[in-house]
Amino acid sequence: MKMSCLNGTTISLSCLKLAFPSYSSSFQNLPFCRTIKPLSAALQTSPATSPSTTKAEDQGARSHWKAAIDFKWIKDNKEAVAANIRNRNSDADLELVLQLYDHFFNLQKEVERVRGERNAVANKMKGKMEQSERQRLIEEGKNLKEGLIALEEDLLKLNDKLQLEAQRIPNMTHPNVPIGGEDSSMTRKLVGSAPEFSFPVKDHLELGKELCLFDFDTAAEVSGSKFYYLKNDAVLLEMALVNWTLSEVMKKGFTPLTTPELVRSSVVEKCGFQPRGKNTQVYSIEDSDQCLIGTAEIPVGGLHMDSILAETLLPLKYVAFSHCFRTEAGAAGSATRGLYRVHQFSKVEMFIFCRPEESEHYHEELIKIEEDMFSSLGLHFKTLDMASEDLGAPAYRKFDVEAWMPGLERFGEISSASNCTDYQSRRLGIRYRPSEAPVASPKKSKSNLAPPQFVHTLNATACAVPRMIICLLENYQQEDGSIHIPEPLRPFMGGRSVISRKL
């Protein structure tokens, strides 16, 4: 396998079949090694198709997926949508979308008109008539058929273009979200205070070296920069963090999952992770339609894809463990040193499918779960209501948690919680059927089932392992170089209370 670097060169890696033997059956039909490259590179040549399309797709075997976008609502709320695009600093072209929609609407009416004329001609031919009249109708029907085929082809192409442009429009924004860039984000909660040390503070890299917890140099030789080996007690600490997090979140009624770490590129797109030029965070598998996940949000979001759920099942709450892979394109600076920004890491992610009227309630629940866990570990942190320009396209509102990192002498992001309303479900095709049936119309009574509605989706980071390790090492360092282990994690580390030097 080859992995693309930020400068476009490649680094040799072990094949996925060898690196993950338990998944080997999934790769039996793949070439022995494939190339992983940022997803944007696959989109540069043909934006009308999914990234890394196969030859069958190039030949039109599978059309681009369609989102259930409410174009009429967008048109009726043009000014609000335009303002939202500006507030989020999005490059979506609303005017083009509306022009394409009007053209599509008019062309659709023309298709229906011609189809109606063709049906009328076909009905006329059922009766008795002169041969000359029949021949005239045959010729007219033939011309109408040929014209209809051409119009329908134009309609399909126009619909594809409309979809691709409309999919760039970001979700609407909660009215309380601050407008502006990251600096405009508002602090909604501050917990604890920064620890005071009577000795020189070390960062996690120094501590890790002295305690033999990491190996970045060998990992760079084996895999490239921004990869690492965890060693000794760091491995136990990772397992403790994961198991403690799962146990805490499961107490709140979440169902545990482990997820696939390769997904179809179309699912990545449907979750709203559109590649943005050269700075994409997604690795795609060359000559396939698959990508490495950057978060478990993607495979969990796809868990109920193209489904109609019973209302009685909602809310569906999941907590998923996965490894995550990110290009970290464009990342630079001292804040990226060590474990802070890496290409591969372990993460525990929460995800909720719920009814629309409940999503703001569950958004508050998710951020409270995060805050309660970080508080129980004794961390000093702040919760931010993120500004409009810092929201990803799917997010209606996003709360970030930033914890104090003494080695950086600043706060660093350790989690986020986003309410994506129906942005993802309209793309993934996830709906629910309300249990209350509407009043049956006297003219239409084939079914008394209520029409399905799109669910709302929410996601939140329960534990991003590398950054939690940074927080724990730097905040709980002792003068003798050891690390104090917070009480909640000790049962998951065999009862140990300290990480100390190996003799």
Side-chain angles (χ1 to χ4, degrees), residues 71-259:
F71 290 103
K72 185 179 184 303
W73 187 92
I74 292 173
K75 186 174 182 178
D76 292 344
N77 296 271
K78 175 182 175 180
E79 292 184 4
V81 175
N84 186 59
I85 290 171
R86 290 193 301 271
N87 290 340
R88 296 174 74 129
N89 197 26
S90 169
D91 61 358
D93 190 338
L94 178 60
E95 288 300 327
L96 177 57
V97 170
L98 293 177
Q99 289 172 15
L100 290 170
Y101 175 64
D102 286 341
H103 188 190
F104 176 82
F105 184 75
N106 292 332
L107 186 57
Q108 191 173 44
K109 288 199 296 186
E110 179 64 12
V111 167
E112 291 171 356
R113 185 190 67 79
V114 174
R115 189 177 289 135
E117 287 187 8
R118 184 189 173 201
N119 291 339
V121 168
N123 287 333
K124 287 180 182 179
M125 292 181 65
K126 294 178 181 178
K128 294 182 179 180
M129 64 188 69
E130 295 291 332
Q131 183 61 31
S132 58
E133 178 64 12
R134 183 174 296 279
Q135 190 59 40
R136 186 189 69 78
L137 289 175
I138 289 174
E139 191 65 27
E140 183 179 356
K142 179 181 177 182
N143 292 335
L144 287 170
K145 179 181 178 180
E146 291 174 353
L148 183 60
I149 290 173
L151 286 171
E152 288 175 336
E153 288 178 353
D154 290 342
L155 190 66
L156 286 172
K157 292 176 182 178
L158 184 58
N159 191 23
D160 282 342
K161 189 172 182 180
L162 174 60
Q163 275 282 326
L164 288 170
E165 290 296 332
Q167 286 164 19
R168 294 168 54 200
I169 297 176
N171 199 355
M172 296 302 288
T173 305
H174 191 286
N176 293 342
V177 167
I179 305 302
E182 185 177 358
D183 293 342
S184 300
S185 300
M186 301 293 292
T187 300
R188 58 178 257 150
K189 190 171 187 178
L190 183 65
V191 175
S193 57
E196 296 181 2
F197 299 94
S198 60
F199 53 89
V201 172
K202 300 173 184 177
D203 67 14
H204 73 283
L205 282 171
E206 295 176 90
L207 294 164
K209 184 176 182 179
E210 293 176 0
L211 296 170
C212 198
L213 301 178
F214 319 130
D215 189 340
F216 289 92
D217 294 335
T218 303
E221 293 295 324
V222 172
S223 300
S225 64
K226 296 185 185 295
F227 287 92
Y228 57 95
Y229 287 95
L230 292 183
K231 301 168 63 177
N232 300 314
D233 289 332
V235 177
L236 301 182
L237 185 56
E238 175 176 36
M239 297 298 107
L241 281 166
V242 170
N243 287 316
W244 170 72
T245 301
L246 287 171
S247 67
E248 289 298 304
V249 177
M250 287 169 63
K251 292 175 185 177
K252 308 296 183 182
F254 286 70
T255 300
L257 296 173
T258 59
T259 73

